Amino acid sequence: MIDAFVYDAVRTPFGRFGGSLAATRPDDLAALVVRAVVDRSPGLRTDPGALDEVVFGNANGAGEENRNVARMATLLAGLPTSVPGTTVNRLCGSSLDAAIIASRQVETGDADVVLVGGVESMTRAPWVMPKTEKPYPAGNLELSSTTLGWRLVNPRMPSEWTVSLGEATELLREKHGVTRDRQDGFAARSHRLADAAWSEGFYDDLVVPVPGVDLRRDESIRPDTTVERLAGLKTSFRKEGGTVTAGNASPLNDGASAVLVGSAAACERLGLDPVARIAGRGASALDPQYFGFAPVEAADRALARAGITWADVSAVELNEAFAAQSLACIDAWGVDPEIVNRHGGAIAIGHPLGASGGRILGTLARSLQRSGERWGLACICIGVGQGLAVVLENVTT
């Protein structure tokens, strides 16, 4: 079996809902990171047609990115029309799924170089309505937002499965005993570490600016966030007995990410050295209302397939959909919380659904490269009860 490696990773700054990236189309965001990865590779810059495939993740797909955004991104980025593209949808895990798909293509010899990533504009996600069974209905019709969560729900779906993501997190934190204090502390840490990482220059090589937009850092980071301030926020999903707030959950965001995946032999075509080997993959699923806990089994499976244990892992990038679900996963793994999201997480950085998997994978690869540590894990929870995980092995030391 041929090994698959991460060679490079970039992303845009993540913008707030209705913020600095609100005027930028998602297909343009995707094209930007595709072009950036190509331009950062001496080989691809000379011959972008050397790309075997572009695989992009996108969760909503109901707006301007609807016509296979991977293919749209290659065309808008000026790549040759001979480069094929496909879009995958595993909701929040879409771009991590894209990387998994690419790694399998490389390992089986079906491809040598694959550019993967993901994009989401939650700001520009449209409202939709179903077509009526008969034309010209006399009554009112209801619009559904495609920004986040369930819409146009099949009535045959059990109601306990279709609760909001926030209510599902309340159910999960009740089941696993995660307190409000811990959630707020975790959220404050996310902002503190993200701000420090930007200030120290960690993200300088990972993030490319969006032309014409005055945004150089992730827009949702609040450096002045404290546990005390978070404790004063009202709960968002339960008026009584709730713990989940706007402060200890990830915000709505816009952004794109890209990761360059290839074989060992691809280094000559790319003019780059590999950063990390994709050593293990895992997917899992459980009851939809407990979606936030799905990374637990996905990670355990990925580690087993990599032939290592939690004792070998030095760095974890866990997408912070909610503080409560992140803490539930960390508790279940029994790992040192200090190795998780050392450069901030989605609560601070943001969570533009389809782009987040690429963000955590790229961050993990660079983190291992800079620290010299050998093993790391990227994992993400997914609405409707799924989880994905990827193990990376640092090959730069």
Side-chain angles (χ1 to χ4, degrees):
M1 186 75 73
I2 301 168
D3 284 328
F5 297 87
V6 171
Y7 277 85
D8 196 12
V10 299
R11 66 174 177 89
T12 67
F14 287 174
R16 288 196 309 261
F17 184 83
S20 296
L21 299 183
T24 308
R25 290 174 57 113
D27 47 0
D28 285 329
L29 291 173
L32 171 65
V33 292
V34 167
R35 188 73 240 179
V37 166
V38 168
D39 287 345
R40 285 159 57 122
S41 163
L44 293 181
R45 189 167 59 245
T46 302
D47 179 19
L51 277 173
D52 293 307
E53 181 108 45
V54 172
V55 184
F56 248 63
N58 180 247
N60 283 328
E64 294 155 332
E65 75 279 45
N66 72 88
R67 293 287 289 169
N68 183 5
V69 72
R71 177 62 170 166
M72 296 300 103
T74 64
L75 298 176
L76 290 167
L79 271 60
T81 57
S82 59
V83 178
T86 187
T87 301
V88 298
N89 184 351
R90 204 192 287 243
L91 300 181
C92 302
S94 296
S95 52
L96 194 60
D97 208 9
I100 288 173
I101 290 168
S103 68
R104 291 177 181 140
Q105 288 178 304
V106 169
E107 288 174 358
T108 58
D110 286 345
D112 199 38
V113 180
V114 184
L115 198 164
V116 306
V119 65
E120 211 76 53
S121 175
M122 301 179 79
T123 298
R124 298 175 72 89
W127 291 283
V128 299
M129 67 172 66
K131 287 186 175 179
T132 57
E133 296 175 8
K134 295 181 180 180
Y136 312 118
N140 296 327
L141 296 176
E142 182 178 306
L143 291 172
S144 295
S145 172
T146 63
T147 297
L148 179 69
W150 294 89
R151 76 289 305 244
L152 307 180
V153 179
N154 191 314
R156 295 177 53 239
M157 197 72 73
S159 60
E160 63 267 26
W161 289 356
T162 62
V163 297
S164 71
L165 299 174
E167 173 58 22
T169 302
E170 292 283 14
L171 294 171
L172 182 64
R173 65 91 186 162
E174 285 180 332
K175 185 175 182 180
H176 293 279
V178 181
T179 66
R180 169 74 182 269
D181 288 346
R182 289 188 67 202
Q183 292 175 57
D184 289 344
F186 186 83
R189 172 185 183 268
S190 184
H191 286 279
R192 183 177 70 255
L193 293 179
D195 178 59
W198 271 106
S199 297
E200 294 163 4
F202 175 82
Y203 287 115
D204 290 353
D205 189 50
L206 277 169
V207 178
V208 292
V210 178
V213 176
D214 185 19
L215 182 65
R216 294 297 180 268
R217 287 173 43 137
D218 301 305
E219 199 170 16
S220 296
I221 299 172
R222 299 188 299 276
D224 59 348
T225 297
T226 64
V227 174
E228 292 74 23
R229 288 186 180 184
L230 292 172
L233 296 178
K234 294 181 179 180
T235 57
S236 300
F237 302 96
R238 290 185 182 179
K239 291 183 179 179
E240 296 183 3
T243 63
V244 179
T245 72
N248 58 37
S250 61
L252 307 178
N253 298 92
D254 310 325
S257 64
V259 180
L260 189 59
V261 177
S263 66
C267 64
E268 295 184 5
R269 290 171 61 181
L270 296 173
L272 297 171
D273 292 324
V275 177
R277 181 175 69 94
I278 297 176
R281 303 170 293 248
S284 65
L286 39 62
D287 290 349
Q289 68 270 37
Y290 297 118
F291 76 95
F293 201 64
V296 173
E297 182 62 26
D300 289 344
R301 292 176 181 179
L303 292 173
R305 289 164 183 164
I308 63 173
T309 69
W310 277 109
D312 300 301
V313 176
S314 301
V316 176
E317 284 293 323
L318 169 63
N319 191 59
E320 298 167 357
F322 296 88
Q325 64 82 208
S326 299
L327 288 165
C329 292
I330 293 168
D331 291 348
W333 291 324
V335 298
D336 180 358
E338 293 305 311
I339 74 169
V340 180
N341 300 348
R342 291 185 297 210
H343 310 287
I347 289 173
I349 292 168
H351 180 20
L353 307 179
S356 290
R359 177 190 73 80
I360 62 173
L361 191 65
T363 301
L364 179 65
R366 289 303 182 193
S367 180
L368 292 174
Q369 182 183 31
R370 294 190 181 202
S371 69
E373 295 163 328
R374 182 177 180 184
W375 296 104
L377 179 92
C379 48
I380 193 164
C381 68
I382 301 165
V384 202
Q386 296 192 82
L388 284 178
V390 171
V391 173
L392 293 184
E393 181 186 18
N394 182 8
V395 296
T396 63
T397 57

